[in-house]
Amino acid sequence: MKNKLDFTIKTTNQIKGIALLLMFASHLFSFPEWLVSGNEFISIPFRNNTVAYFVGKFGGVCVGIFMFLTGYGMYFSYQKGNCIVISIKKAIKFILKYWILLFTFFLPVQILLGRTYFNPHKWHQELFGIYTSIVGFAWYVRFYMLAILSLPLLKRIIGKKLWSSLTLTVIPFQTIYILLWKLSTHIMFHNAEAVTLEYFKYISIVLVGYCFAKFDIYKYIDKFICTHKINGIFISVSGLSLIFIARLKWYENAKIFMPNADIVFVPILVFCIIKLLNNFPFKLILQLLEIIGQHSMNLWFLQSIFFFETNKLQCIIYLPKLPLLILIWNIAILLPISKLYNLIYKKIHII
């Protein structure tokens, strides 16, 4: 068993691969209202639902994982130069990739499938994921752009002391989120109130990721485990199991205006995943996870082609009927498309 924690770019991509699989499971199995009649799947019954449904419900943690890794990675990016310039460059590359997908993939496919009307008053919002009638899962575009461009300013609240920094990255933003929710009167998915709420709900996870990188918190946790000769694998498996149960319970019972519990769940989850990945014996699976992670953002957007305005294609992805096979089939269909687009990005130097 490896004792030293190995949190490299390769490991980061493997975690992104796991997060992407959790996201696919969430979209595929935990939103029955998204399914077109006839596209049902077969899963083991459990507590008035199915095992696949509960795995999908837990899969919603994927968003927090991506946000945490964004904050974690940005700390190291900022060590290489001017943080404002770095943020602007990252935002431009991100939005250009999204626009290429929007105009060369999603738009042509929807026209081919018979869509004839696109709201002309919403095009400027489509470009930044504020309105998402063309790319259904593009809401993350608006959050990422706001988060990455505001991070050079927000990182100033992270000082030299760990606990005061964590407090300042969580309490004020979650308090504003709860107050805004209670004061809001007209929240819709695409309006300004919703986008503002979304920002304050999730930005803490990005900032906590930044804190974990700056203070090298994982190194100290790992050192404690090694010093006290605690079995890291046991701790990780136990941690994953507890977070799985706790997160399902929290979001089953909590009301929507309560704090974002993933601020606590995600850092623990990421640590447990790193320990398990560092000791995972099957190299081929690790390589596959790394490849999926490298394509995670493309795959996130591409999967929406099977839902909402283009759900005529949905029957294709549910052909295998069994959840695990459906998940693998999704990846098998979309990964080649993502690889093609990454080649395009490289050709025009935005990757």
Side-chain angles (χ1 to χ4, degrees), residues 88-106:
I88 291 171
K89 284 182 177 179
K90 282 187 175 290
I92 290 171
K93 284 187 176 182
F94 180 86
I95 202 67
L96 285 176
K97 290 177 186 179
Y98 170 65
W99 287 347
I100 290 169
L101 276 174
L102 174 66
F103 288 108
T104 67
F105 182 75
F106 284 96

Side-chain angles (χ1 to χ4, degrees), residues 75-88:
Y75 171 77
F76 296 104
S77 294
Y78 286 166
Q79 308 313 303
K80 300 173 184 177
N82 185 288
C83 59
I84 296 174
V85 173
I86 289 168
S87 277
I88 291 171

Side-chain angles (χ1 to χ4, degrees), residues 107-115 305 309-313:
L107 197 58
V109 168
Q110 292 196 10
I111 291 169
L112 285 171
L113 289 173
R115 183 173 179 181
I305 202 68
E309 296 288 343
T310 46
N311 61 13
K312 293 176 183 177
L313 300 173

Side-chain angles (χ1 to χ4, degrees), residues 36-317:
V36 176
S37 180
N39 293 338
E40 292 78 15
F41 54 88
I42 301 166
S43 182
I44 300 167
F46 182 72
R47 289 186 62 191
N48 299 320
N49 219 301
T50 65
V51 169
Y53 171 82
F54 286 107
V55 171
K57 274 295 179 188
F58 176 74
V61 76
C62 61
V63 174
I65 294 174
F66 281 116
M67 292 174 177
F68 179 85
L69 293 177
T70 295
Y72 199 99
M74 287 307 293
Y75 171 77
F76 296 104
S77 294
Y78 286 166
Q79 308 313 303
K80 300 173 184 177
N82 185 288
C83 59
I84 296 174
V85 173
I86 289 168
S87 277
I88 291 171
K89 284 182 177 179
K90 282 187 175 290
I92 290 171
K93 284 187 176 182
F94 180 86
I95 202 67
L96 285 176
K97 290 177 186 179
Y98 170 65
W99 287 347
I100 290 169
L101 276 174
L102 174 66
F103 288 108
T104 67
F105 182 75
F106 284 96
L107 197 58
V109 168
Q110 292 196 10
I111 291 169
L112 285 171
L113 289 173
R115 183 173 179 181
T116 57
Y117 178 75
F118 298 91
N119 192 331
H121 304 294
K122 298 291 185 180
W123 267 107
H124 62 291
Q125 295 183 17
E126 293 275 7
L127 290 174
F128 295 97
I130 299 168
Y131 193 71
T132 57
S133 75
I134 298 176
V135 186
F137 298 149
W139 69 269
Y140 189 68
V141 173
R142 65 195 184 218
F143 174 81
Y144 181 87
M145 294 295 287
L146 286 171
I148 213 74
L149 292 173
S150 62
L151 192 56
L153 176 63
L154 294 179
K155 78 180 185 67
R156 294 176 178 272
I157 67 175
I158 300 171
K160 295 181 179 179
K161 295 183 178 179
L162 171 60
W163 291 110
S164 61
S165 295
L166 284 174
T167 301
L168 289 171
T169 61
V170 175
I171 302 298
F173 296 101
Q174 293 304 296
T175 302
I176 292 169
Y177 163 63
I178 293 169
L179 288 174
L180 284 175
W181 174 265
K182 290 191 172 184
L183 294 172
S184 295
T185 57
H186 187 60
I187 298 174
M188 295 174 64
F189 185 66
H190 300 114
N191 70 3
E193 284 189 24
V195 173
T196 305
L197 275 172
E198 183 180 84
Y199 177 81
F200 283 103
K201 179 180 180 180
Y202 290 119
I203 194 62
S204 290
I205 305 181
V206 177
L207 293 171
V208 167
Y210 193 96
C211 279
F212 267 67
K214 179 176 180 176
F215 294 102
D216 208 359
I217 296 173
Y218 284 149
K219 183 184 79 173
Y220 291 107
I221 296 172
D222 195 53
K223 186 178 179 181
F224 177 85
I225 290 172
C226 293
T227 302
H228 292 81
K229 297 180 180 179
I230 302 168
N231 188 309
I233 301 298
F234 174 77
I235 286 290
S236 299
V237 172
S238 301
L240 286 173
S241 303
L242 288 171
I243 288 172
F244 183 87
I245 295 167
R247 192 179 190 279
L248 287 176
K249 285 290 184 184
W250 175 268
Y251 286 105
E252 178 184 27
N253 299 321
K255 294 183 179 180
I256 196 166
F257 56 79
M258 292 183 74
N260 186 353
D262 284 341
I263 296 165
V264 175
F265 294 146
V266 167
I268 300 169
L269 184 65
V270 168
F271 179 81
C272 294
I273 292 172
I274 295 168
K275 289 294 283 185
L276 292 175
L277 288 172
N278 288 172
N279 292 278
F280 194 73
F282 301 107
K283 301 301 179 185
L284 179 60
I285 293 176
L286 291 177
Q287 289 170 3
L288 288 171
L289 286 174
E290 186 180 355
I291 291 168
I292 293 169
Q294 290 167 347
H295 293 266
S296 56
M297 199 52 60
N298 283 350
L299 293 171
W300 181 341
F301 296 145
L302 286 170
Q303 199 200 20
S304 67
I305 202 68
F306 299 116
F307 298 94
F308 314 122
E309 296 288 343
T310 46
N311 61 13
K312 293 176 183 177
L313 300 173
Q314 193 182 95
C315 59
I316 298 169
I317 57 170

